[in-house]
Amino acid sequence: MDLVPPSNGETLVKSPMVDVDAVDVKQVDEETVALEVTSEFETDSDDSDGDDADSDCGRAIQFLRDDQLHEVPGGCTLEEAVAFRKRLHDVGKVAFVEETIVLETVTAKKLCTAFGIRPPEFLENAPDEAYHPLLAVAISREFSKRPKLPQYNTIEDAVNLLQKSKNIIVLTGAGDTGLYSKLAHLGLSDPQEVFDINIFREDPSIFFSIAKDILPTEKKYSPTHGFIKLLQDHGKLLTNYTQNIDNIEANAGVLAEKMVQCHGSFANATCVKCNFKVPGDAIFDDIREGKIPECKACIQSIEQEALKPQGLKRKRSSNGNQKDRKEESSDEEDYEIPTPGVMKPDITFFGEGLPDEFGQRLIHHDRELADLVIVIGTSLKVAPVAEVPGILPRNVPQIYISRTPVTHTDFDIDLLGDCDVVVSELCRRAGWNLQHHMIPADEKVEITPVEGYESRHVFKVVGA
Ligand SMILES: [Zn+2]
């Protein structure tokens, strides 16, 4: 609290003790990151003992969600945390550190909790300076977030935005009927187990053993997709970037030119050997029967080869279907019995490049035009959809609709609950007619504010 420099000739540390620019914030976006916290406390301490073995190792930062704040003794309350975050964005990093840490109005340990970082156990009982490197990470992480626009908070604000916006970007997740929940039903929590391109090339049967269970079946869609179609009908839909791969938006009537399927879709399939393409449903029968679909073009060229007089089985033929042939077949392969390529649905696997359309459209077209972003039913953890809010200008309002809030991005308005319920109530209030058999005509929705937030609201069907 004392601003008077010490008289004993020591230099008062006025420059920020917390080096807020020292940390590359890009590295701290994930849930946990390895951080080399070599605190002075640890390295200089004489009585450090048994834990020496791992004291040089990188430590994992433990992130703290708002609903976990109360778990940290002496940590910030939610109200304090929200106030500190706002203050940081208002005054900037250096001024913020000066009025908190330099003036000792609050400890670094407590401040870490305001920015969602849990004080690590290995720093327990350490002097407060030991928390400075961690606080630097915490502040940089918070500061790199797009600050919430203060003028948008209420349901009315959300409805007004819907009504006045002309170029709305909608980001949709895989949703309740989507791929990941289907995989979860199959006991596959990690989609990477099934959708790894290298595994697919080695053994496509792993993918096709579950593919029949994730095939798009009926042409049905949810009220949420009906809502996107309604935005299109009102001339307000700029682009729907979707993580869905089952074409569910198209079922609702969203036009292909209004949609980017960020993870590809089942709409087409491509031969992994010769790149021959077919409409997706051409291989659906095979998939349903549990067969691995084979390339008709490959089969044809193999048959033609076999009919040649010498019967040579070299696969490097001049057959027109074998365009774009990569240099991947080794010499030993050339003398194996030729096999046709496997037809792979055009969904994007891990290890494959994303459809180029995404970046092209977002950066060279939509970025300039967008006047509202609505994120529906995705936690925004998976690229490339997760990148969208950060790529758009920061003054474009952003509304979040999902069951649970996210902490790594600040939206202007959070509308929490069943997405179908939220969008149906928004339409009701906007005077728009969202008709869907899943929305009862007499549905009443109750909206309650979330304590501690001006801009967070929970939607619940009355009596549900
Ligand atoms: Zn082929």
Side-chain angles (χ1 to χ4, degrees):
M1 300 286 188
D2 197 351
L3 276 174
V4 181
S7 53
N8 60 5
E10 267 180 43
T11 320
L12 176 69
V13 187
K14 261 224 118 176
S15 60
M17 293 176 279
V18 179
D19 187 356
V20 289
D21 293 317
V23 181
D24 179 2
V25 292
K26 288 203 179 98
Q27 292 177 353
V28 296
D29 283 345
E30 295 305 316
E31 287 282 297
T32 56
V33 288
L35 175 75
E36 312 247 332
V37 182
T38 44
S39 70
E40 288 174 33
F41 172 70
E42 258 196 346
T43 48
D44 292 354
S45 177
D46 286 332
D47 52 24
S48 60
D49 46 26
D51 284 336
D52 269 358
D54 62 8
S55 65
D56 286 338
C57 299
R59 312 259 189 182
I61 292 182
Q62 296 276 309
F63 291 116
L64 189 67
R65 293 194 313 268
D66 282 351
D67 61 331
Q68 296 171 322
L69 277 168
H70 66 275
E71 295 170 8
V72 180
C76 286
T77 63
L78 177 59
E79 288 72 21
E80 287 173 321
V82 170
F84 277 128
R85 289 171 206 164
K86 183 173 185 307
R87 186 67 189 161
L88 170 63
H89 286 289
D90 286 349
V91 300
K93 290 189 275 192
V94 172
F96 180 81
V97 169
E98 273 177 4
E99 67 184 36
T100 54
I101 298 303
V102 177
L103 294 183
E104 296 181 20
T105 57
V106 58
T107 63
K109 182 181 181 180
K110 180 173 178 177
L111 217 39
C112 280
T113 65
F115 303 123
I117 289 187
R118 190 188 290 270
E121 257 173 50
F122 72 92
L123 287 180
E124 198 61 50
N125 302 319
D128 200 50
E129 285 77 17
Y131 292 89
H132 287 180
L134 206 55
L135 181 60
V137 173
I139 287 176
S140 288
R141 179 171 175 259
E142 173 66 28
F143 200 71
S144 70
K145 288 183 187 174
R146 165 191 176 275
K148 174 182 154 26
L149 301 173
Q151 65 269 40
Y152 305 114
N153 297 293
T154 64
I155 312 290
E156 289 68 37
D157 294 336
V159 172
N160 287 340
L161 282 169
L162 276 182
Q163 286 174 324
K164 73 164 202 227
S165 300
K166 295 184 175 73
N167 289 300
I168 303 177
I169 286 182
V170 181
L171 306 179
T172 39
D176 292 339
T177 57
L179 175 68
Y180 290 175
S181 67
K182 282 180 185 170
L183 287 178
H185 280 296
L186 297 170
L188 297 160
S189 55
D190 181 6
Q192 202 147 356
E193 294 168 13
V194 181
F195 297 103
D196 185 302
I197 191 62
N198 295 313
I199 294 175
F200 184 88
R201 286 190 185 121
E202 255 169 52
D203 183 2
S205 71
I206 296 170
F207 169 76
F208 285 109
S209 68
I210 63 106
K212 61 177 178 298
D213 297 310
I214 59 169
L215 269 188
T217 46
E218 304 136 81
K219 297 260 178 202
K220 61 182 181 185
Y221 62 91
S222 70
T224 296
H225 300 99
F227 170 69
I228 299 167
K229 165 69 161 51
L230 203 59
L231 292 178
Q232 176 181 283
D233 292 346
H234 282 82
K236 292 170 178 289
L237 181 63
L238 181 61
T239 304
N240 175 203
Y241 291 90
T242 177
Q243 294 175 320
N244 259 318
I245 58 172
D246 48 12
N247 231 12
I248 194 166
E249 294 83 5
N251 294 346
V254 178
L255 298 168
E257 64 260 34
K258 290 285 178 192
M259 201 167 32
V260 175
Q261 292 170 315
C262 299
H263 297 170
S265 82
F266 276 101
N268 292 295
T270 306
C271 171
V272 294
K273 273 192 181 164
C274 75
N275 289 329
F276 183 66
K277 273 191 189 295
V278 296
D281 53 13
I283 64 166
F284 284 4
D285 282 347
D286 276 351
I287 293 179
R288 286 197 197 96
E289 287 166 29
K291 290 185 197 158
I292 295 176
E294 293 180 334
C295 172
K296 296 230 158 39
C298 281
I299 291 171
Q300 205 175 29
S301 69
I302 289 167
E303 284 169 359
Q304 283 169 1
E305 283 291 306
L307 291 175
K308 284 188 179 170
Q310 304 303 321
L312 277 180
K313 291 175 193 156
R314 290 195 66 103
K315 290 199 288 184
R316 269 177 220 275
S317 74
S318 56
N319 187 299
N321 286 324
Q322 298 205 346
K323 58 193 173 198
D324 290 336
R325 183 87 188 240
K326 300 256 165 61
E327 288 297 301
E328 61 193 13
S329 45
S330 61
D331 283 344
E332 65 174 60
E333 244 185 322
D334 281 347
Y335 294 98
E336 281 174 3
I337 294 170
T339 50
V342 173
M343 298 303 293
K344 175 186 158 296
D346 285 359
I347 50 183
T348 310
F349 278 42
F350 292 95
E352 283 188 301
L354 291 159
D356 191 40
E357 191 192 355
F358 171 78
Q360 286 296 324
R361 177 157 179 151
L362 180 64
I363 293 161
H364 299 296
H365 183 258
D366 290 2
R367 193 178 185 282
E368 296 291 307
L369 294 171
D371 53 8
L372 176 64
V373 177
I374 308 177
V375 178
I376 308 179
T378 166
S379 58
L380 283 186
K381 294 234 165 92
V382 185
V385 163
E387 323 275 334
V388 176
I391 288 171
L392 296 169
R394 289 189 163 191
N395 62 348
V396 176
Q398 302 191 354
I399 295 175
Y400 185 66
I401 300 174
S402 193
R403 282 181 197 275
T404 45
V406 289
T407 56
H408 60 288
T409 309
D410 281 334
F411 291 96
D412 301 312
I413 309 174
D414 291 305
L415 307 176
L416 307 179
D418 183 313
C419 298
D420 293 337
V421 171
V422 175
V423 298
S424 65
E425 180 64 13
L426 287 178
C427 287
R428 226 168 267 135
R429 290 179 180 229
W432 297 347
N433 188 15
L434 176 61
Q435 285 194 326
H436 193 283
H437 67 92
M438 282 167 66
I439 307 173
D442 58 348
E443 184 180 80
K444 291 264 183 301
V445 174
E446 177 186 60
I447 303 173
T448 46
V450 178
E451 210 179 315
Y453 296 89
E454 273 184 283
S455 60
R456 227 169 240 191
H457 315 275
V458 176
F459 288 57
K460 240 182 92 181
V461 172
V462 175

